[in-house]
Amino acid sequence: MQKRSLGRGLSDLLAGSGAPQTRGVIEVDIDRLRPNPFQPRRCFDEDEVASLADSIREQGLLQPLLVRETDSGYEIVAGERRWRAARLLSLATVACLVHQMDDRQSMQVALVENLQREDLNAMEEAHAYRRLLDEFNMTQEELADQIGKSRPAVANRLRLLALPIEVQEAVEEGTLTEGHARALLALKDEPARLYQVCERAIRECLSVRQTEELARKPSVPAPEPPAEEEVTEEKEVFRKAVTERLQQALATRVSIEGRRNGAGMIKIVFHDSEELSRLVDEIAPQEDVFF
């Protein structure tokens, strides 16, 4: 089977738009450019933009921005990070390659361009796929063909959108990998366990394999708390008398908690290490041993 090519996908999208380059590469006033509302990237790393700005300062802008003309100027189809870096350098103009394209083509090209650069995380891809499917009435098969992916690959990305928002954000931030997210999908119908496994995976830096094994473990119901003792008037009188006796003997506050089976516990309060030592001597005095 021939491997799909994202490179051909991008060139096909541009060539198949039905409209050739209208003005080729031109210099555009940087203030006349605006970001692509269909940009699949949801965040830009400031350090990466600063590093790109340093590169542009030394070598110039090696690749023009891909833009489309609008009534108010030009809209960036691909190259927003380069535009941000150019603004950081206070450049007056940037080189732009102008193409005519509609909203659907603009979003497809922006998505494919980012996929080529491997700039998108799994959640950004999933959200972009969902938007293309919903806003432009595409099928998963059509989308897969347009972006050079297999239909199962598209379907697997879309499944990640079934995860809670907090988990999706963890993937976007890099706290969890896509592999961890896929493991958590097994628990999407058990929200409480899903959050529990997710938090543990993050806290303990679990591998994907460990997370999968944890997600497969059957949930264990929490043990029921022991039934409280049914306190009768007679028992209450006895307990009060015993409590007072212990408090007088130990010179500190004492409480008694009973259980239905007759068991229970005695709580003895102390306020510092000195008082604790005193209580230990009162309860379990240590006899001097002479040899």
Side-chain angles (χ1 to χ4, degrees), residues 102-126:
D102 58 23
D103 289 349
R104 172 171 167 170
Q105 292 158 347
S106 175
M107 188 172 184
Q108 288 173 331
V109 170
L111 176 57
V112 170
E113 195 261 353
N114 277 284
L115 289 174
Q116 281 183 320
R117 297 174 182 273
E118 299 183 347
D119 274 350
L120 301 179
N121 60 55
M123 292 314 312
E124 287 175 327
E125 282 190 40

Side-chain angles (χ1 to χ4, degrees), residues 28-31 56-57 60-61 82-83 85-94:
V28 176
D29 188 325
I30 200 165
D31 292 329
I56 294 173
R57 182 188 293 110
L61 186 62
R82 279 167 276 157
W83 171 71
R87 291 183 65 190
L88 200 60
L89 294 172
S90 300
L91 299 183
T93 63
V94 289

Side-chain angles (χ1 to χ4, degrees), residues 33 65-69 74-77 96-99:
L33 291 164
L65 280 64
L66 179 62
V67 303
R68 61 173 179 163
E69 195 166 7
Y74 296 90
E75 184 180 280
I76 302 168
V77 177
C96 296
L97 178 64
V98 184
H99 268 271

Side-chain angles (χ1 to χ4, degrees), residues 118-161:
E118 299 183 347
D119 274 350
L120 301 179
N121 60 55
M123 292 314 312
E124 287 175 327
E125 282 190 40
H127 285 290
Y129 293 171
R130 174 49 58 197
R131 191 170 180 187
L132 278 165
L133 293 173
D134 291 347
E135 294 191 18
F136 303 108
N137 297 317
M138 298 179 70
T139 65
Q140 289 188 18
E141 196 70 46
E142 290 170 338
L143 174 58
D145 183 64
Q146 288 289 337
I147 64 175
K149 295 271 190 177
S150 67
R151 195 200 65 76
V154 170
N156 284 333
R157 279 287 192 274
L158 289 168
R159 289 180 64 225
L160 297 178
L161 297 177

